[in-house]
Amino acid sequence: MSEPSRFDRGHTDDLMSFLAAGPTPYHAVANAGARLEKAGFRQIAETDAWDGTSGGRYVLRGGAIIAWYVPEGAAPHTPFRIVGAHTDSPNLRVKPRPDTGAHGFRQVAVEIYGGPLMNSWLDRDLGLAGRLSLRDGSTRLVDVDRPLLRVPQLAIHLDRSVSGEGLKLDKQRHLQPIWGLGDDVRDGDLIAFLEQESGLPAGSVTGWDLMTYAVEPPAYLGRDQELMAGPRLDNLLSVHAGTAALAAVAAGGAELPYIPVLAAFDHEETGSQSDTGADGPLLGSVLERSVLTRGGSHEDRARALAGTVCLSSDMGHAVHPNYAERHDPTHHPRANGGPILKVNVNNRYATDGSGRAVFAAACEKAGVPFQTFVSNNSMPCGTTIGPITAARHGIRTVDIGAAILSMHSARELCGADDPFLLANALVAFLEG
């Protein structure tokens, strides 16, 4: 029998609750905000005047959250320590005219968001969640957390080639989910159904941002439950760890040399170019206003950013036992081996030697082991919000994360101890 976990699984239990409560970026940031409220933070609106008093605050914009804690006596030029992450995951999203169907089946028209492993969405029971925009200008979150839709795979009897040539999916024709029977497809049926589910008056919804998700809950996996399977690990695992770390640091009462920040953005999977993405103005605006409301000048802002460090926390690839040749032969991150430092000399990741030293010091302080990931030279390397953050704001940025399998699947897999190890490393980093 393998060695049992050395760690209390309370953190991972809590992560599973966080994943289940965050089927969309909008739900994830609302959940993170509620957790920070319990830790003494308060939400402030971007349209309000801000003050420079100490304490914890956060801003919500769509599927993004920026939260920070100002210690007592923080100078205007005090640098920031930022944990960066993203809230979105690849999935199937509802089109502007969602009602469709054929041959007696009622279907929902969807568009592919990001780069999902499309086969992982077949034959799964799917819920539907997102944000409804109402006629009066307000918004309402909706979550139909039950089997509502399904993308049925073609039976092997009708496609014998699939076992030899592999599955080939047409993104337009083959991924439209079924949600009922009938030939009387009418425009407005889906939205009318969601209005009824949400207790809203008929005709009150004038806009929507809706997406499907697998309703199977997160679960421990394996003989000794060393693994955890769940949806949206990429990258709600990091959002959860960053939220927990920021709350812990704020509650610690220590005299912090930095202002700790959580910056969780939307739209990373599609390039980050939006008003809630890492390539947008949100983080820069929050940091600048934090400096100015504490009596600082633009010179103080420049000094603060010059001393700032960001850990861009995103998922990385654990070595795959069936495809080890796809990995660099000397860099094989393992599940439950601790967080990973992600390196790419072509700046797909922002890590350099000085950034490695910052992360190594945090892990040493926390008593957490860490691993290093480098792509196989023959394989293209993904990227993160790290290089975007470094280039847009001119701050030193380090790419890190947790090692997982099945990245971009509807259901991913990680070591059950790694979320706890990552969170502890983030605490040590934010404390400085």
Side-chain angles (χ1 to χ4, degrees):
M1 181 175 291
S2 63
E3 181 184 356
S5 170
R6 296 172 292 153
F7 305 108
D8 179 4
R9 287 286 167 79
H11 179 89
T12 305
D13 292 342
D14 191 62
L15 168 62
M16 291 196 287
S17 297
F18 189 81
L19 294 172
T24 76
Y26 315 114
H27 290 81
V29 298
N31 191 3
R35 288 164 176 254
L36 290 170
E37 291 270 357
K38 290 181 179 179
F41 286 66
R42 60 184 175 91
Q43 183 178 359
I44 56 177
E46 292 181 81
T47 53
D48 289 346
W50 293 6
D51 62 56
T53 57
S54 61
R57 298 168 177 79
Y58 69 95
V59 167
L60 295 182
R61 183 193 287 185
I65 182 170
I66 310 292
W68 65 103
Y69 179 79
V70 180
E72 288 282 353
H77 61 269
T78 299
F80 301 92
R81 280 279 172 115
I82 304 170
V83 172
H86 68 88
T87 61
D88 60 320
S89 300
N91 56 17
L92 310 178
R93 302 202 173 188
V94 175
K95 287 184 175 180
R97 294 187 63 184
D99 298 291
T100 185
H103 306 292
F105 288 100
R106 300 177 70 184
Q107 296 174 273
V108 174
V110 296
E111 190 172 4
I112 312 302
Y113 178 83
L117 285 171
M118 292 188 296
N119 63 293
S120 71
W121 288 86
L122 302 179
D123 296 331
R124 286 190 183 273
D125 296 336
L126 304 177
L128 187 66
R131 179 178 64 177
L132 302 175
S133 297
L134 309 185
R135 192 174 299 278
D136 63 5
S138 64
T139 60
R140 176 79 66 87
L141 298 185
V142 62
D143 181 11
V144 184
D145 185 14
R146 64 177 187 270
L148 180 69
L149 308 103
R150 186 179 179 92
V151 183
Q153 189 170 185
L154 184 65
I156 193 171
H157 312 79
L158 303 178
D159 184 11
R160 296 288 184 181
S161 67
V162 70
S163 61
E165 299 176 12
L167 180 65
K168 297 179 181 178
L169 294 172
D170 183 284
K171 294 179 181 180
Q172 178 63 33
R173 293 186 295 126
H174 297 153
L175 291 171
Q176 308 307 314
I178 289 169
W179 78 303
L181 297 174
D183 291 308
D184 57 336
V185 176
R186 297 181 300 272
D187 280 347
D189 278 357
L190 179 66
I191 300 306
F193 164 76
L194 294 176
E195 288 173 336
Q196 186 176 24
E197 285 283 312
S198 304
L200 294 169
S204 60
V205 174
T206 55
W208 52 88
D209 302 280
L210 299 166
M211 55 204 77
T212 65
Y213 69 95
V215 297
E216 183 182 3
Y220 289 108
L221 184 143
R223 182 185 63 180
D224 300 314
Q225 298 191 331
E226 310 103 319
L227 301 167
M228 194 271 282
R232 301 176 295 280
L233 293 177
D234 180 14
N235 186 32
L236 293 190
L237 189 159
S238 293
V239 177
H240 175 262
T243 303
L246 180 60
V249 170
E255 293 186 5
L256 299 171
Y258 303 98
I259 295 174
V261 180
L262 169 67
F265 302 100
D266 202 352
H267 303 129
E268 187 272 347
E269 299 292 356
T270 55
S272 295
Q273 292 186 321
S274 71
D275 68 321
T276 54
D279 204 17
L282 181 57
L283 177 61
S285 173
V286 168
L287 298 184
E288 181 174 43
R289 290 179 73 172
S290 176
V291 170
L292 297 180
T293 54
R294 284 179 281 121
S297 63
H298 286 284
E299 174 70 9
D300 290 313
R301 173 187 174 275
R303 293 176 65 189
L305 293 186
T308 292
V309 184
C310 173
L311 289 189
S312 165
S313 182
D314 204 345
M315 298 302 96
H317 303 292
V319 61
H320 197 301
N322 299 337
Y323 300 91
E325 74 281 358
R326 302 294 182 98
H327 299 263
D328 183 85
T330 59
H331 295 82
H332 282 176
R334 296 191 175 195
N336 288 338
I340 55 175
L341 182 75
K342 300 161 71 173
V343 179
N344 179 265
V345 295
N346 294 300
N347 288 330
R348 300 293 286 173
Y349 302 133
T351 307
D352 62 10
S354 65
R356 176 191 172 92
V358 170
F359 184 59
C363 289
E364 182 178 1
K365 177 183 177 183
V368 168
F370 74 92
Q371 311 175 82
T372 305
F373 172 82
V374 178
S375 289
N376 185 309
N377 287 339
S378 300
M379 297 285 170
C381 180
T383 191
T384 69
I385 66 165
I388 294 170
T389 303
R392 181 169 182 83
H393 305 290
I395 58 181
R396 182 164 43 157
T397 304
V398 189
D399 272 295
I400 66 160
I404 67 172
L405 295 177
S406 305
M407 188 182 294
H408 286 199
S409 171
R411 194 168 177 84
E412 298 161 323
L413 186 68
C414 72
D417 293 332
D418 281 331
F420 177 81
L421 294 171
L422 175 62
N424 277 275
L426 297 183
V427 168
F429 166 73
L430 291 177
E431 288 178 340

